[in-house]
Amino acid sequence: MLADPGFLVPDREWCAHALPEWPGHPAADFFYSSMLARNGSDHERLRRPVAGAFTARRVAALRAAVERITAGLLDRFADATSGGGAANFQELVGYPLPVAVVGQLIGVPREEQGQFDELGRGASRLLEPVRTPEDWDRADRAVVALREYFTALLRERRSRPAEDLASALLDQRGAPGARLTERELVDLLLLVFVAGFETTTGLLGLMVFALLTHPVQLALVRADPALRPGAVEESLRWDSPVMMTERIAARPRVLAGTVVPAGGSVTVVLAAANRDPARHRDPDAFLVRRPDTRVLSFGAGAHYCLGAALARLEGAALLGQLLDRFPDLAIAGPPVRRAAVSLRSFDDLPLAATG
């Protein structure tokens, strides 16, 4: 379904027709103008300039930086748990790791990255299937602040270019077929930054929790480093950071025997697909040796997540260093999951370095 051209993402035109009260919100204006809510050639026009930052070669070049950032954050975790106590893994590692990586990719200085935790969570409320007035307020304030920040960053890069995505987008703006407006440049950076850490933050915490609550599987990964990529993949399948997405039928379609009329909205539950017994044998079991794992956690088709390879790289780097440095790592209290439906993550994941 995600790859079927007969199903489109909800775009600005759909929003204006189906939800006429939404476009007045800055958060809705951002979302339904962004790459996430574009179809066809318009989507490709926005995706193309960013795609160059996520090629296999560019991601591989980030490996040393990811390993270095991971080591520094695990130093902080080691210090926080050195007396035998517990520390919130998400606060010390799970959140700042992807923020630092995508911040380096885009060009956000390390000392300015701390402000993005609350802003990223606020903007992500727009992805929830049901939005309260409080959700709208948080999302609107976050988008306004983030647009102001990335407008200033682009202004800085015009006078002082650097080796980062912000500078690269400015270089490509006048390229044939690009036709990127100033607002589109700002919103591309906003989208890459928020999407680049919100979902990966979820992945890191969910992966560590899954392994620590399945000691037999954890022992297998400790004994055989070659299983680490498989452990990341199985974590994505077993507890996906992104639970669902939405598509609109461009014309009447038949889906699993049900007629979907033109304009009909369909919620695609990625987490259900990842546990489909017709695709994954014994789907509720967490098995790091599961053969032929194929996940939909990053979507599929034209809107497949550009940052999938980078997220996997961060997951593998963290898992390797974490298991090597903390052989007795253990959960040290009840975790607190984020109060959300669409995005899965932990707000508090208390861990101790000694079980």
Side-chain angles (χ1 to χ4, degrees):
M1 181 177 174
L2 296 175
D4 185 343
F7 287 100
L8 306 175
V9 296
D11 57 16
R12 193 174 184 85
E13 182 180 349
W14 173 86
C15 179
H17 171 73
L19 303 161
E21 72 279 10
W22 282 20
H25 289 279
D29 174 72
F30 156 69
F31 184 83
Y32 288 102
S33 299
S34 76
M35 182 170 59
L36 292 180
R38 302 288 185 100
N39 292 290
S41 59
D42 202 26
H43 169 254
E44 180 60 27
R45 180 179 66 87
L46 291 176
R47 185 180 175 95
R48 189 183 305 114
V50 182
F54 293 99
T55 63
R57 182 177 180 180
R58 292 288 291 272
V59 170
L62 286 170
R63 184 180 303 277
V66 171
E67 294 283 357
R68 183 183 69 254
I69 293 168
T70 301
L73 293 173
L74 289 179
D75 286 344
R76 292 175 53 193
F77 176 75
D79 290 342
T81 57
S82 61
N88 183 352
F89 180 81
Q90 286 296 89
E91 180 182 358
L92 294 178
V93 182
Y95 158 70
L97 172 55
V99 170
V101 172
V102 77
Q104 178 166 322
L105 178 72
I106 288 177
V108 176
R110 188 70 178 269
E111 64 273 13
E112 296 179 6
Q113 294 171 6
Q115 64 185 300
F116 289 98
D117 184 11
E118 185 60 29
L119 292 176
R121 293 186 187 190
S124 69
R125 299 307 297 176
L126 191 61
L127 298 176
E128 288 302 298
V130 177
R131 304 158 190 88
T132 67
E134 292 76 16
D135 288 335
W136 277 117
D137 183 58
R138 287 184 63 191
D140 286 342
R141 285 188 285 109
V143 165
V144 169
L146 288 166
R147 276 177 163 172
E148 289 177 352
Y149 179 86
F150 286 112
T151 297
L153 180 63
L154 286 173
R155 186 165 53 246
E156 169 72 12
R157 288 297 178 268
R158 283 190 178 91
S159 59
R160 298 175 58 187
E163 294 294 324
D164 54 36
L165 180 60
S167 299
L169 288 179
L170 287 171
D171 287 343
Q172 294 184 49
R173 185 172 60 163
R179 304 188 308 279
L180 296 179
T181 67
E182 179 74 9
R183 175 52 62 84
E184 286 173 339
L185 285 171
V186 169
D187 283 358
L188 276 175
L189 291 178
L190 195 166
L191 177 63
V192 170
F193 196 87
V194 173
F197 79 81
E198 271 294 301
T199 53
T200 307
T201 290
L203 161 63
L204 299 180
L206 295 169
M207 174 186 69
V208 172
F209 179 78
L211 284 164
L212 292 179
T213 52
H214 292 83
V216 173
Q217 301 302 307
L218 176 61
L220 291 174
V221 179
R222 285 193 184 278
D224 184 0
L227 291 176
R228 290 169 183 174
V232 175
E233 214 65 14
E234 179 68 346
S235 299
L236 285 164
R237 186 200 68 82
W238 190 73
D239 199 357
S240 176
V242 181
M243 300 292 285
M244 61 188 70
T245 186
E246 185 179 13
R247 292 295 185 268
I248 307 298
R251 53 187 180 272
R253 307 291 287 168
V254 177
L255 185 65
T258 298
V259 176
V260 181
S265 173
V266 181
T267 297
V268 185
V269 185
L270 306 175
N274 284 340
R275 293 205 185 190
D276 182 356
R279 180 63 186 81
H280 302 285
R281 184 177 179 181
D282 196 8
D284 294 334
F286 180 80
L287 303 170
V288 297
R289 286 177 171 168
R290 183 180 296 277
D292 190 28
T293 299
R294 292 174 59 192
V295 300
L296 286 179
S297 304
F298 296 111
H303 284 266
Y304 182 76
C305 177
L306 283 169
L310 183 57
R312 287 181 167 109
L313 173 62
E314 292 177 51
L318 172 63
L319 185 56
Q321 292 195 36
L322 192 68
L323 298 187
D324 288 344
R325 293 185 59 173
F326 303 100
D328 298 315
L329 190 69
I331 296 173
V336 178
R337 288 187 182 266
R338 180 177 301 185
V341 174
S342 184
L343 299 181
R344 296 271 282 182
S345 187
F346 287 104
D347 282 339
D348 187 0
L349 182 57
L351 301 183
T354 56

